[in-house]
């Protein structure tokens, strides 16, 4: 056997140890509880990614994460970012794309906006990120839009 054949396989993800890699590779991310477990395990890895959205130093930005049942009985994850030491100029409601969640790249964008004095609100759609539902499945865009409108109507009520 040559030395090259005996060499360990290269790491799949930089900064991820073997135990975390095994956990992720064995995870079934179809449902929210497993996605939540993986997200919790990956928080430190996310923060170490060399990307401008994760490297910004924003002082006095508060965050709040919550789970709430919507009118259809689906548990929705939401997050808000806000300047802690001064008046909020206005509220910005962000919607992530099909392959994203409100806890990954959107987090860096929201922190940047909040650092300029705005309150930022976002949610994970049903089936995305930390919200309940089959991963990535949108049975009806009308229902998705209704869920988003319902959530942001609640945000409007909170901030009036």
């Amino acid at each position: 056997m040559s030395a090259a054949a005996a060499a360990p396989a290269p790491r799949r993800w930089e900064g991820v140890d073997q135990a975390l890699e095994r956990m992720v590779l064995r995870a079934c991310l179809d449902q929210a509880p497993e996605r939540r477990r993986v997200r919790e395990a990956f928080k430190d890895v996310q923060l170490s990614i060399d990307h401008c959205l994760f490297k910004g130093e924003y002082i006095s930005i508060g965050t709040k994460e919550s789970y709430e049942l919507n009118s259809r009985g689906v548990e929705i994850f939401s997050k808000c970012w806000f300047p802690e030491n001064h008046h909020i100029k206005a509220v910005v409601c962000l919607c992530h794309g099909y392959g994203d969640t409100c806890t990954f790249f959107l987090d860096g964008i929201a922190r940047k906006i909040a650092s300029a004095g705005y309150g930022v609100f976002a949610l994970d759609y049903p089936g995305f990120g930390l919200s309940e539902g089959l991963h990535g499945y949108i049975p009806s865009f009308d229902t998705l839009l209704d869920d988003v409108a319902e959530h942001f109507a609640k945000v409007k009520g909170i901030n009036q």
Side-chain angles (χ1 to χ4, degrees):
M1 180 186 272
S2 71
R11 304 289 321 135
R12 293 175 193 244
W13 301 298
E14 185 176 326
V16 176
D17 64 29
Q18 287 183 341
L20 184 54
E21 182 179 310
R22 274 192 305 276
M23 188 241 335
V24 171
L25 291 174
R26 292 179 180 151
C28 176
L29 302 178
D30 285 348
Q31 299 299 328
E34 196 73 353
R35 293 194 304 267
R36 292 171 185 170
R37 187 173 73 88
V38 170
R39 185 257 186 158
E40 189 61 35
F42 260 92
K43 276 185 176 179
D44 291 336
V45 174
Q46 176 185 350
L47 294 173
S48 71
I49 294 173
D50 188 18
H51 189 282
C52 62
L53 291 176
F54 303 124
K55 296 297 181 186
E57 296 287 330
Y58 305 113
I59 299 170
S60 299
I61 301 301
T63 62
K64 180 182 176 195
E65 297 182 352
S66 61
Y67 294 92
E68 185 175 325
L69 289 179
N70 69 9
S71 63
R72 297 187 307 113
V74 178
E75 189 175 50
I76 300 295
F77 173 81
S78 64
K79 187 167 182 175
C80 65
W81 301 257
F82 50 90
E84 291 184 312
N85 298 327
H86 54 292
H87 180 73
I88 294 175
K89 296 176 186 177
V91 170
V92 176
C93 297
L94 294 177
C95 294
H96 63 73
Y98 183 77
D100 202 2
T101 72
C102 70
T103 58
F104 198 63
F105 285 117
L106 204 61
D107 187 74
I109 295 165
R111 287 180 184 281
K112 178 68 174 173
I113 294 169
S115 73
Y118 297 90
V120 182
F121 292 80
L123 75 152
D124 282 339
Y125 311 137
F128 288 79
L130 305 179
S131 290
E132 284 184 333
L134 182 61
H135 188 230
Y137 178 63
I138 301 172
S140 161
F141 280 95
D142 288 336
T143 303
L144 175 69
L145 291 174
D146 290 344
D147 290 340
V148 171
E150 176 184 330
H151 178 75
F152 289 139
K154 289 178 187 174
V155 167
K156 182 180 175 187
I158 293 168
N159 289 289
Q160 284 187 332

